[in-house]
């Protein structure tokens, strides 16, 4: 398992907090999960993260374009697309901006 040094962790924290001063670790966990897969369903995030559906919905809103806190605009890193077979479900994927953020985070590893 790769080790994360305090220096790397500090760089990642500064990067994320510059995007959203209220960034929570749970948002990063959800973002990383979505980045590793395609067409992620909220119910699968609930299973993998052990977080409630409402907590995930809040995080996805903030990571996406429709935050649930105040009138602040979302980060635009995640997009939700309706499932053509079931209108109750939405597939979550990274946007171009989200892929860039993920690439930036990966580049912050210790060299």
């Amino acid at each position: 398992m790769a080790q994360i040094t305090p220096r790397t962790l500090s760089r990642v924290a500064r990067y994320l907090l510059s995007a959203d001063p209220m960034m929570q670790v749970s948002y990063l966990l959800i973002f990383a999960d979505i980045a590793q897969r395609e067409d992620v369903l909220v119910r699968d995030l609930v299973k993998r993260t052990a977080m409630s559906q409402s907590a995930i919905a809040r995080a996805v809103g903030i990571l996406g374009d429709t935050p649930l806190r105040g009138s602040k605009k979302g980060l635009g890193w995640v997009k939700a697309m309706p499932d053509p077979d079931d209108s109750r479900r939405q597939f979550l994927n990274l946007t171009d901006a989200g892929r860039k953020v993920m690439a930036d985070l990966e580049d912050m590893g210790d060299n």
Side-chain angles (χ1 to χ4, degrees):
M1 175 184 270
Q3 299 238 341
I4 298 175
T5 67
R7 181 177 172 201
T8 299
L9 190 56
S10 177
R11 285 188 295 209
V12 168
R14 278 193 309 270
Y15 181 94
L16 294 173
L17 290 172
S18 71
D20 183 350
M22 296 180 68
M23 180 66 67
Q24 296 180 19
V25 172
S26 59
Y27 303 165
L28 181 57
L29 293 173
I30 292 167
F31 177 71
D33 189 284
I34 294 168
Q36 294 174 16
R37 298 166 175 80
E38 289 187 26
D39 294 338
V40 175
L41 294 170
V42 170
R43 72 168 184 222
D44 296 332
L45 284 171
V46 169
K47 291 176 189 173
R48 286 193 292 269
T49 65
M51 295 167 63
S52 70
Q53 185 171 348
S54 62
I56 289 173
R58 275 191 304 277
V60 168
I62 290 164
L63 293 168
D65 289 327
T66 55
L68 300 176
R69 65 172 190 230
S71 60
K72 183 180 178 205
K73 187 175 187 285
L75 295 170
W77 297 352
V78 172
K79 65 181 172 190
M81 301 294 292
D83 178 346
D85 298 326
D86 186 344
S87 62
R88 296 169 296 174
R89 299 189 321 180
Q90 291 188 327
F91 293 119
L92 304 173
N93 289 289
L94 295 186
T95 62
D96 290 341
R99 284 189 285 281
K100 181 183 181 325
V101 168
M102 197 57 173
D104 289 349
L105 294 175
E106 289 171 348
D107 288 345
M108 288 182 193
D110 291 322
N111 298 330

